[in-house]
Amino acid sequence: MNEEDSEKISGLLKGIGYERTKIKEESDIIIFNTCCVRENAEQKVYGHLGALKALKRKKPNLIIVVTGCMMQQDGMPDKVMKKFPHIDIIAGSYNSYKLPEYIERVKTEGNSIIEVWNKEKGIVEGLPVDRMSDVKAFVTIMYGCNNFCSYCIVPYVRGRERSREPENIINEIKDLVSKGYKEITLLGQNVNSYGKGLEPEINFAGLLRRVNKIEGLERIRFMTSHPKDVSDELISAMAECEKVCEHGHFALQSGSSRILEKMNRKYTREQYLELVKKLRMAMPNIAITTDIIIGFPGETEEDFEETLSIVKEVEFDSAFTFIYSQREGTPAAKHEEQVPENIKHERFNRLVEAVNEILAKKNKEYEGKIVEVLVEGPSKNDETKLMGRTRTSKLVNFQGSPDIVGKLVKAKITKAQSFSLIGEII
Ligand code: SAH
Ligand code: SF4
């Protein structure tokens, strides 16, 4: 979601004549689109801001901007400005679409600006988007979150759930398809809550069916969907809509029902396993990926072992693993039984090892198979090769001519690597 927000900010700046550059020293404006979900992302921002002091001294006209949800935390904008007075603009995530106006003001008036709206003011439609890919695109369908998981800061900094009108979503996707996009990922903190409060009534399964009818679109993905809200209707829609890829990201967070309850996740280990069973019955080839938090307050060795065992039982296709980070203002942060750092790290390493072992095994199963790949562009590590993804979201590297970028090709997997596959176009 943060990436999609950055694409919008970049689109807005393009609209007033700026261009993207990767060279810090050459830029006229440097923007940090921050995230406060975990503390280490915040620490990185501080590091970068400190390092820019010297550049700002050399280039006084450089405009430094900090925006994103980190700025939505109480007292944060003043604290950051005090620590880094060379910042020119601080804006919150609800009003980052006003950046062109703030930039003009700084250029004409010269004073720094702190403007952070403390509440969402509806949905702003029609913002220009400077997309990082010409092949696949993110399309936000809803903003905010009402779930209040006890560790999570998102509901406090992103506001309550609000859904975009289906027509706006469909029109945006049709426009993308007319520009050659083949794949879209529908985004929301909990896409299953899509549609609440909209008239006429629509839910996420209904939206998927409508998006599936868009001619020329090849692939649909979505992220993320809360396990407690995955209905049978949604599973049927996923299975029946041929454009919906055989991949689902369902954040587990913990394998211990005791911890899940403390997290306020509203499902148990057994219910999660039941969900996996249903998904696999409806879509035998579905790849299931997840998010896991290690070291939630009060997590015992037994709780952790339950997480390890569910990871092995489900055999996730991949997992984003996080060490619990205390977020001020969330109920879990006040918990007295915080897990010591060394134990968190030790459990984290054991978890990553288990996840990677399964990933290697799952990747190996692809060897010799023929898969459909959407060609995205040059490989990250070897520009002479191309890369793309299977419908199950596996990364495939292969030789090919650049004019197949944006096309769906068939590839035979010749070798599985730890985190990707090597293939040959057939
Ligand atoms: N709405 C999404 C999650 C968005 S945040 C969902 O529920 O599926 C992305 C991930 O960050 C979460 O799934 C969780 O695993 C992790 N996360 C959130 N708060 C965290 C915290 N305080 N410490 C560590 N990880 C956290
Ligand atoms: Fe955070 Fe839970 Fe909302 Fe996801 S569903 S954004 S983890 S509060």
Side-chain angles (χ1 to χ4, degrees):
M1 297 208 75
N2 183 280
E3 275 177 44
E4 211 263 331
D5 287 342
S6 297
E7 292 184 340
K8 282 196 183 122
I9 294 170
S10 183
L12 286 162
L13 288 226
K14 269 200 167 167
I16 55 167
Y18 288 93
E19 252 181 77
R20 236 189 297 150
T21 171
K22 283 189 177 149
I23 308 165
K24 212 167 36 188
E25 289 70 24
E26 271 185 9
S27 47
D28 301 304
I29 305 184
I30 297 176
I31 302 178
F32 293 94
N33 185 21
T34 62
C35 169
C36 60
V37 170
R38 283 172 299 276
E39 195 188 352
N40 52 2
E42 293 192 350
Q43 296 302 335
K44 276 193 209 158
V45 175
Y46 293 138
H48 286 304
L49 283 171
L52 277 183
K53 212 175 194 166
L55 186 62
K56 177 79 178 179
R57 211 176 295 133
K58 249 194 339 211
K59 260 182 92 167
N61 289 337
L62 170 69
I63 297 177
I64 300 174
V65 182
V66 187
T67 183
C69 65
M70 186 179 157
M71 296 302 111
Q72 292 297 145
Q73 296 173 90
D74 281 347
M76 186 60 89
D78 290 332
K79 181 176 146 193
V80 171
M81 187 60 99
K82 209 164 155 198
K83 208 164 164 195
F84 306 100
H86 51 286
I87 295 173
D88 297 279
I89 300 170
I90 292 185
S93 34
Y94 303 128
N95 58 318
S96 58
Y97 74 95
K98 293 255 182 199
L99 279 178
E101 188 187 310
Y102 303 151
I103 289 167
E104 271 320 299
R105 258 169 58 195
V106 163
K107 277 164 72 179
T108 51
E109 296 163 19
N111 302 326
S112 57
I113 297 173
I114 299 186
E115 200 159 319
V116 178
W117 295 356
N118 62 6
K119 232 183 133 32
E120 60 274 20
K121 291 190 186 167
I123 292 174
V124 187
E125 286 291 347
L127 295 178
V129 193
D130 175 25
R131 298 189 189 271
M132 301 297 150
S133 161
D134 299 325
V135 180
K136 56 179 197 175
F138 294 126
V139 175
T140 301
I141 61 166
M142 58 170 301
Y143 297 87
C145 181
N146 291 358
N147 284 316
F148 290 93
C149 301
S150 63
Y151 50 82
C152 184
I153 200 166
V154 169
Y156 305 91
V157 292
R158 292 278 186 176
R160 296 293 69 72
E161 286 171 2
R162 46 260 175 240
S163 295
R164 289 178 71 195
E165 290 290 341
E167 281 66 33
N168 290 335
I169 297 169
I170 302 285
N171 288 341
E172 181 176 345
I173 299 172
K174 281 186 177 162
D175 181 54
L176 287 165
V177 170
S178 75
K179 291 177 177 141
Y181 284 85
K182 296 289 184 336
E183 177 181 306
I184 53 122
T185 302
L186 304 172
L187 286 183
Q189 291 299 351
N190 179 16
V191 291
N192 314 66
S193 298
Y194 174 77
K196 270 189 209 153
L198 289 184
E199 287 285 339
E201 246 175 61
I202 179 162
N203 61 12
F204 183 58
L207 181 73
L208 269 188
R209 290 189 191 278
R210 281 185 66 177
V211 175
N212 191 58
K213 288 199 190 112
I214 297 177
E215 234 169 277
L217 181 66
E218 300 283 355
R219 287 178 171 190
I220 304 168
R221 300 186 189 279
F222 55 88
M223 258 219 319
T224 69
S225 92
H226 196 303
K228 78 174 162 58
D229 295 325
V230 181
S231 62
D232 291 347
E233 188 193 0
L234 175 61
I235 296 176
S236 309
M238 286 174 71
E240 287 160 26
C241 294
E242 73 287 356
K243 291 176 187 171
V244 174
C245 290
E246 292 74 26
H247 171 218
H249 187 81
F250 303 99
L252 165 70
Q253 313 300 5
S254 170
S256 152
S257 297
R258 200 180 73 85
I259 294 293
L260 285 170
E261 196 183 343
K262 285 177 185 249
M263 287 178 162
N264 193 28
R265 289 292 285 180
K266 301 200 169 77
Y267 55 85
T268 60
R269 173 193 178 93
E270 290 68 34
Q271 283 164 333
Y272 190 94
L273 285 170
E274 186 57 33
L275 169 66
V276 170
K277 208 156 108 191
K278 278 194 203 165
L279 286 162
R280 287 189 170 145
M281 281 233 293
M283 288 159 281
N285 297 327
I286 191 170
I288 299 177
T289 56
T290 201
D291 293 352
I292 297 170
I293 299 177
I294 283 307
F296 181 84
E299 183 191 73
T300 61
E301 176 62 23
E302 289 71 48
D303 294 317
F304 171 68
E305 276 169 18
E306 288 204 56
T307 299
L308 264 189
S309 81
I310 199 171
V311 161
K312 290 176 188 164
E313 188 170 342
V314 173
E315 299 200 314
F316 290 106
D317 288 81
S318 90
F320 293 115
T321 46
F322 305 110
I323 290 180
Y324 168 71
S325 167
Q326 238 171 314
R327 305 284 63 209
E328 211 182 305
T330 61
K334 292 191 224 76
H335 213 292
E336 276 162 18
E337 296 171 81
Q338 299 292 332
V339 178
E341 284 304 313
N342 59 334
I343 296 186
K344 282 199 239 179
H345 283 272
E346 183 256 340
R347 288 182 190 160
F348 181 78
N349 293 340
R350 281 158 70 197
L351 176 68
V352 170
E353 202 178 305
V355 166
N356 288 348
E357 210 171 286
I358 295 162
L359 180 64
K361 180 183 147 210
K362 289 225 143 183
N363 280 354
K364 197 95 189 140
E365 287 167 8
Y366 276 80
E367 283 184 357
K369 279 196 182 152
I370 292 168
V371 291
E372 179 201 273
V373 177
L374 175 59
V375 188
E376 292 179 22
S379 292
K380 293 260 151 53
N381 300 329
D382 178 357
E383 296 258 318
T384 64
K385 286 196 179 142
L386 295 172
M387 59 79 66
R389 283 187 188 268
T390 63
R391 284 175 64 96
T392 50
S393 207
K394 299 276 176 200
L395 182 70
V396 187
N397 291 300
F398 50 91
Q399 296 288 355
S401 134
D403 46 80
I404 59 166
V405 171
K407 298 218 158 62
L408 287 167
V409 297
K410 289 263 181 261
K412 182 170 179 182
I413 302 304
T414 50
K415 195 168 173 8
Q417 295 193 306
S418 313
F419 300 103
S420 60
L421 305 170
I422 299 176
E424 264 168 21
I425 296 180
I426 52 166

